[in-house]
Amino acid sequence: MALMACQSEPPDPWLETVSALQETARNDATAWQLLESLTTEVGPRMGGSEGDAKAVSWARQAMHDLGFDRVWLEHVSFPLWERRAESAKLLGPEAEPLVLTALGGSPGTGGAISAEVAPFANLEEFEAADPATVAGKIAYIGARMERSRDGAGYGKTVPQRSKGPYVAARKGAVALLIRSAGTNPYGNPHTGTISTSEPGSPVPAAALSHPAADRLEQALAGGAPVTVELDLDCGFNGLGTSQNVIGEFDGRGDTDEFVVVGGHLDSWDLGDGAVDDGAGVVTTMAAAKLVADLPERPRRDIRVVLFANEEQGIHGGKSYAASQGRNFYRHVIGAEADLGAGRIWRFRSRVLPEVEPEVERLAMLLEPLDIPWSQDRPASGGADLGQVRKLGMPVIDLNHDASRYFDLHHTADDVLENVDPEDLAFNVAAYVTFIYWAAESDVAFGPVPPSE
Ligand SMILES: [Zn+2]
């Protein structure tokens, strides 16, 4: 009897296929070649811009070239925002330029304006301020993002950017400056969008680079009034259009179910968008192709969605959820890659409780990559696929190490040179594992009733 207990169980029948897939992925250059092509042939691709239209053509062609069985576009429209010119300087005896960048959705200043600066440590302090101390001034909020592997510090500093410009308007400020919401140590400011759901209109708003924010705070520390001149030429200009680019590989089974992965095709305009979210785009495209290239395709179809204009209000994701809503039952499970190009280090899940043993199987398959299942909270599905998750689609989050992500994110340092090809291939290995596991399975992972 004791001997019986020592006998090892037979290995999981999927393990051999998945191990070989992981090995192939880690030695495969498809993702890197796609990223090189996207960033050099297309470059920056802000929603609705010429670069964005080029990116859509690029993605459609790339999917055809990779052998996707079907590729199609889904129209998306949104208010078109443009950045034209931006500058600021400290006035007075210590006059000097301040490096900054306008926040997405900011109105322009209508030429240079100058006003005294009213400083606040964080958004809470600003919200509590007497409007009389702010009216007619340029408000400044200086909260600093904390660096961490899970990137949690970003969510804490984003409200000063997304909500701050509306608070400033309600208090009668003429403009808002913030300390950049990222951790960029190289002196480049961090853009990102102002909320699209707050009531009212925002004031002109821009983010100072960390060195510029330090310089402004140093000037303010003297206690004497500090005046800044600000000139932002930017704003909305009619309707912008773009497309979600969708491609599918057929599975071998006769089912209309598919596994969905993807990222967002648009980027900010300051870098070439290699990290946000070129990396997510190419990782999921390459992973889908490698799984489809197996001698025997998995049972279910594989869908890749490259979402339009995520950066300025999740326009592609919302539009996709609205158009695909009645087909949402075909989305058996999804995973979105949109946290940069750092190595994936853990995963989270959101599936029906009764199929969690299937997730243990995914954990076993990801073990050789040292990617454990984190059960501290359910997966979110990301900004875009999160819109389908809200309808009940089950999701897995493959979390990237975000320790360095916010040094690059939304800045001029988001460029190809800052992506490590080995990390990229590693992440493809994680995605092929997820895709194979979900597509070969016949388990219904959901629908998961929306919990929030
Ligand atoms: Zn992104």
Side-chain angles (χ1 to χ4, degrees), residues 144-232:
R144 193 185 282 271
M145 178 186 161
E146 275 174 42
R147 184 186 298 277
S148 67
R149 198 177 189 192
D150 67 1
Y154 184 59
K156 292 179 193 152
T157 45
V158 158
Q160 72 184 9
R161 179 186 86 209
S162 57
K163 196 176 168 197
Y166 293 92
V167 178
R170 290 197 283 274
K171 292 188 188 291
V174 294
L176 173 72
L177 295 176
I178 61 166
R179 178 182 280 278
S180 281
T183 49
N184 189 298
Y186 316 114
N188 280 318
H190 176 277
T191 191
T193 198
I194 296 173
S195 168
T196 51
S197 56
E198 284 279 318
S201 304
V203 294
L208 295 169
S209 69
H210 287 290
D214 291 343
R215 182 65 195 94
L216 177 62
E217 289 179 17
Q218 189 188 29
L220 287 160
V226 171
T227 302
V228 162
E229 182 186 285
L230 178 64
D231 192 351
L232 302 179

Side-chain angles (χ1 to χ4, degrees), residues 203-381:
V203 294
L208 295 169
S209 69
H210 287 290
D214 291 343
R215 182 65 195 94
L216 177 62
E217 289 179 17
Q218 189 188 29
L220 287 160
V226 171
T227 302
V228 162
E229 182 186 285
L230 178 64
D231 192 351
L232 302 179
D233 180 9
C234 56
F236 286 108
N237 182 15
L239 195 68
T241 58
S242 187
Q243 275 84 30
N244 289 330
V245 182
I246 307 172
E248 282 183 351
F249 284 110
D250 288 323
R252 73 169 188 280
D254 90 25
T255 164
D256 63 354
E257 296 172 341
F258 56 80
V259 176
V260 59
V261 293
H264 63 87
L265 190 55
D266 68 305
S267 74
W268 282 106
D269 51 336
L270 306 175
D272 64 26
V275 175
D276 184 14
D277 183 27
V281 163
V282 304
T283 297
T284 53
M285 285 169 79
K289 181 196 160 43
L290 291 180
V291 176
D293 279 352
L294 284 171
E296 183 181 64
R297 291 249 179 119
R299 228 174 55 79
R300 288 165 166 157
D301 297 351
I302 303 164
R303 177 179 286 191
V304 178
V305 186
L306 308 180
F307 293 96
N309 202 348
E310 182 271 347
E311 293 292 1
Q312 296 177 40
I314 319 178
H315 295 290
K318 287 176 179 166
S319 161
Y320 178 85
S323 72
Q324 297 287 320
R326 68 198 151 81
N327 272 331
F328 105 90
Y329 70 91
R330 294 180 57 203
H331 297 67
V332 289
I333 195 163
E336 175 174 313
D338 185 17
L339 195 59
R343 286 194 182 215
I344 292 164
W345 63 288
R346 70 169 180 200
F347 79 94
R348 287 178 172 144
S349 68
R350 185 190 294 256
V351 299
L352 289 173
E354 57 268 35
V355 297
E356 287 200 342
E358 274 309 293
V359 183
E360 277 165 28
R361 188 177 198 179
L362 176 61
M364 182 274 294
L365 296 169
L366 285 169
E367 212 174 87
L369 301 176
D370 200 15
I371 299 174
W373 182 15
S374 174
Q375 297 182 62
D376 56 339
R377 51 194 275 198
S380 82

Side-chain angles (χ1 to χ4, degrees), residues 14-199:
W14 295 357
L15 195 55
E16 200 182 315
T17 306
V18 170
S19 301
L21 259 178
Q22 289 173 350
E23 179 70 18
T24 303
R26 294 188 72 171
N27 292 294
D28 184 84
T30 305
W32 179 257
Q33 286 162 355
L34 287 168
L35 191 60
E36 215 169 18
S37 164
L38 174 63
T39 53
T40 55
E41 291 159 36
V42 177
R45 44 197 182 278
M46 193 158 74
S49 67
E50 232 173 87
D52 185 30
K54 247 173 115 175
V56 169
S57 307
W58 174 90
R60 175 154 68 170
Q61 188 60 49
M63 282 183 170
H64 277 298
D65 295 346
L66 290 172
F68 278 73
D69 294 307
R70 276 174 301 290
V71 182
W72 70 98
L73 306 180
E74 188 181 78
H75 185 79
V76 181
S77 61
F78 41 81
L80 180 70
W81 185 78
E82 294 174 340
R83 181 199 313 281
R84 291 175 287 266
E86 49 201 18
S87 64
K89 57 186 171 199
L90 268 175
L91 297 181
E94 299 179 284
E96 61 181 284
L98 294 171
V99 175
L100 51 52
T101 193
L103 302 180
S106 173
T109 51
I113 57 168
S114 49
E116 191 185 330
V117 175
F120 299 91
N122 51 51
L123 181 62
E124 295 68 34
E125 196 183 275
F126 184 38
E127 284 183 304
D130 179 351
T133 63
V134 182
K137 295 182 180 170
I138 295 175
Y140 166 71
I141 315 176
R144 193 185 282 271
M145 178 186 161
E146 275 174 42
R147 184 186 298 277
S148 67
R149 198 177 189 192
D150 67 1
Y154 184 59
K156 292 179 193 152
T157 45
V158 158
Q160 72 184 9
R161 179 186 86 209
S162 57
K163 196 176 168 197
Y166 293 92
V167 178
R170 290 197 283 274
K171 292 188 188 291
V174 294
L176 173 72
L177 295 176
I178 61 166
R179 178 182 280 278
S180 281
T183 49
N184 189 298
Y186 316 114
N188 280 318
H190 176 277
T191 191
T193 198
I194 296 173
S195 168
T196 51
S197 56
E198 284 279 318

